[in-house]
Amino acid sequence: MAVGKRTAAAYGGWIVFEDEAGQSLTPPRARSWGRRGCTPVVRVRGRGSGRVSMAGLTCYRPGKQSRMFYSVREYRGRKGEPKGIGWRDLRDLLVRAHIQLGGPIVLVWDNLRMHLVEPMREFIADHADWLTVFQLSNYSPDLNPQEGIWSLVKRDIGNLAAADLGQITRAVKRKLKQIQYRPDFVDGCLAGTDLIMDG
């Protein structure tokens, strides 16, 4: 699969990859340093629940600086609270990206149920003037640069023994904000997929 002149020229816009991820209070495992003979141990609080859900867009266009947009939602288990990112969150994220990128979007994402619900299909159909959608095969995270962004985020918060969900949310937002200002990181995530951007 190549992301290049043919695709960009055919649709005249940005190639945008979308994906979701989540993080609970249990930190992702990561390597660390410790004294010789002493395995580092990170103690995690057993109390508390909830989850931080994330949706992200990595955006590429030949001759333009790469961009990244994201949305973060906390779920604390309260009655009536959304359990994670929903189709409305994705819709709003796409609209925001379209406005800030200032051009059409060629969206590439997987077959997640949320991507296929009727309101999302209607939104895509209603905005066909600036939104074209391609779906990846059933399970192909190796072709989605947004997976590389999640890897950078999880590496940064690896072994973080957070006191509460708010601390996880702040750490996630801080790392995502840092990545937004590092287009070389966003480019590196595309390179990690072996896709090419001609231009």
Side-chain angles (χ1 to χ4, degrees):
M1 180 176 183
V3 178
K5 292 177 183 174
R6 184 176 175 192
T7 307
Y11 296 95
W14 290 78
I15 306 295
V16 176
F17 294 86
E18 191 277 341
D19 194 45
E20 302 84 19
Q23 180 59 50
S24 66
L25 276 171
T26 304
R29 293 178 68 183
R31 292 181 180 232
S32 183
W33 294 95
R35 291 183 179 174
R36 181 175 287 182
C38 296
T39 302
V41 175
V42 177
R43 301 198 182 281
V44 181
R45 292 180 58 177
R47 293 182 302 166
S49 63
R51 184 170 182 80
V52 178
S53 297
M54 305 167 276
L57 304 173
T58 48
C59 312
Y60 305 94
R61 185 173 183 178
K64 299 282 187 178
Q65 183 172 283
S66 301
R67 304 280 300 274
M68 194 267 291
F69 300 91
Y70 64 89
S71 178
V72 175
R73 178 184 287 279
E74 280 186 355
Y75 171 64
R76 296 180 177 272
R78 298 179 181 131
K79 187 176 181 180
E81 183 181 30
K83 289 188 176 179
I85 299 288
W87 74 268
R88 288 180 183 88
D89 299 302
L90 293 179
R91 175 200 63 195
D92 296 346
L93 185 60
L94 286 168
V95 169
R96 183 165 42 121
H98 169 60
I99 291 168
Q100 292 191 32
L101 293 173
I105 288 176
V106 178
L107 177 65
V108 181
W109 62 10
D110 58 23
N111 290 313
L112 186 69
R113 187 177 60 84
M114 179 178 27
H115 300 162
L116 305 174
V117 297
E118 191 59 33
M120 180 57 81
R121 288 181 176 185
E122 289 174 4
F123 170 76
I124 293 168
D126 291 345
H127 296 87
D129 57 322
W130 61 264
L131 182 59
T132 304
V133 177
F134 288 97
Q135 293 187 299
L136 291 168
S137 55
N138 286 341
Y139 190 71
S140 50
D142 53 322
L143 295 178
N144 194 334
Q146 187 61 41
E147 292 282 353
I149 300 293
W150 301 143
S151 179
L152 291 171
V153 171
K154 300 220 173 192
R155 188 181 314 157
D156 193 62
I157 63 172
N159 295 336
L160 171 65
D164 56 29
L165 194 63
Q167 188 176 356
I168 295 283
T169 304
R170 289 189 298 275
V172 164
K173 285 182 174 179
R174 182 176 60 247
K175 185 60 179 178
L176 287 169
K177 180 64 75 175
Q178 289 172 351
I179 294 171
Q180 269 191 324
Y181 289 100
R182 294 292 303 271
D184 54 319
F185 282 11
V186 182
D187 288 337
C189 291
L190 179 66
T193 66
D194 288 332
L195 299 175
I196 57 170
M197 179 66 71
D198 295 334

